[in-house]
Amino acid sequence: MERCPLDNASLNDSDRLLGEGNAEPTGAELTAKLHIFRTYIPMFQCSNFRHLQGATMKLSLYQPNDAVEIEQLFIQTFTNSEGQSEGAIVGRLVKDLISSTDPSNFYGFVATEADQIIGGIFFSRLIFEDGTNSFILSPVAVRTDFQRQGIGQQLIRFGLDALSKEGVELVVTYGDPQFYSKVGFRGVTEAVIPPPFALQRPEGWLAQSLTGDQIRSIKGRSFCVEALNNPEYW
Ligand SMILES: CC(C)(COP(=O)(O)OP(=O)(O)OC[C@H]1O[C@@H](n2cnc3c(N)ncnc32)[C@H](O)[C@@H]1OP(=O)(O)O)[C@@H](O)C(=O)NCCC(=O)NCCS
């Protein structure tokens, strides 16, 4: 178990404030010491140790040498939540996305904790006939023992921020509206944003604008990358 970096900071600071030798602390020193105790004691009392681990979580761009570890993460996470066959399907999807998508049509981001990948997210280009610069978010996973600590939302926001800086105008996804609404996605109809295939669950078709403008209706057809070009996924 990693030590919380604040452990050292708080102990060193309180040692310093108590002073070396036997000199009595001044009023100002006591006030500062109390402030440190008020700030840090609730953290020591926190029974959820994951909260402390989360303090060292890092978000970064996916690198090709992450491929094997991230495929395993998706297989295991989806096996745990949806069963073995879904784990295998999502694992294959991730493998295909990584291996067959041109880098200009692909973004991946990872969350790491103590040099282990604990979360991953992929975005791939969605081409619209009207030229809207758009990507689809799919899939995303957070390792089962790190779920429900805000990591999934942080990973998504990190990815959206990076895409926005690259000039991406629109991001869509296809999943649980309850979860994705926490990070700015809203339900859209297939008439407003045409999906590449007819949807089996239209209520899961979600989008958000990265330009600050309202989502506008897009005319014409859309096309996804080869890895997603399978009606079973839709
Ligand atoms: C979905 C997932 C990426 C969310 O990541 P996370 O780090 O657990 O999510 P966060 O902690 O940021 O957000 C928690 C909120 O997300 C929602 N949420 C998390 N897991 C959920 C799930 N399995 N079903 C529905 N909602 C879920 C809840 O609203 C939750 O809020 P609550 O704890 O107050 O109820 C993660 O749980 C996961 O990998 N699940 C398995 C794979 C999956 O379903 N991926 C998404 C489809 S591509």
Side-chain angles (χ1 to χ4, degrees), residues 46-179:
C46 175
S47 59
N48 181 0
F49 237 61
R50 294 283 177 219
H51 177 69
L52 297 181
Q53 283 190 323
T56 57
M57 193 265 293
K58 290 189 198 124
L59 299 169
S60 57
L61 199 60
Y62 160 82
Q63 301 293 332
N65 59 5
D66 294 332
V68 172
E69 194 179 350
I70 204 149
E71 275 167 45
Q72 282 309 314
L73 169 92
F74 274 89
I75 293 170
Q76 196 55 58
T77 304
F78 275 82
T79 297
N80 294 347
S81 68
E82 315 280 334
Q84 208 168 355
S85 74
E86 191 67 16
I89 290 169
V90 179
R92 194 187 67 214
L93 167 61
V94 167
K95 195 181 176 95
D96 290 349
L97 268 176
I98 288 170
S99 60
S100 71
T101 313
D102 186 274
S104 63
N105 295 330
F106 171 85
Y107 290 95
F109 303 94
V110 294
T112 49
E113 172 84 34
D115 289 332
Q116 286 193 331
I117 296 179
I118 58 159
I121 188 166
F122 294 103
F123 297 86
S124 58
R125 194 176 293 280
L126 203 54
I127 296 174
F128 289 101
E129 288 179 322
D130 77 350
T132 302
N133 187 351
S134 175
F135 277 72
I136 181 163
L137 181 178
S138 179
V140 56
V142 171
R143 207 172 85 182
T144 309
D145 52 338
F146 283 86
Q147 289 176 8
R148 301 222 150 173
Q149 300 164 48
I151 296 171
Q153 291 172 65
Q154 285 183 60
L155 200 46
I156 294 171
R157 288 203 178 94
F158 186 78
L160 294 175
D161 192 45
L163 267 62
S164 166
K165 287 178 179 142
E166 294 293 315
V168 174
E169 299 165 281
L170 180 74
V171 176
V172 300
T173 193
Y174 186 37
D176 183 346
Q178 215 192 334
F179 174 62

Side-chain angles (χ1 to χ4, degrees), residues 15 17-26 29:
D15 285 346
L17 287 161
L18 277 169
E20 299 194 1
N22 297 326
E24 285 290 314
T26 65
E29 285 170 338

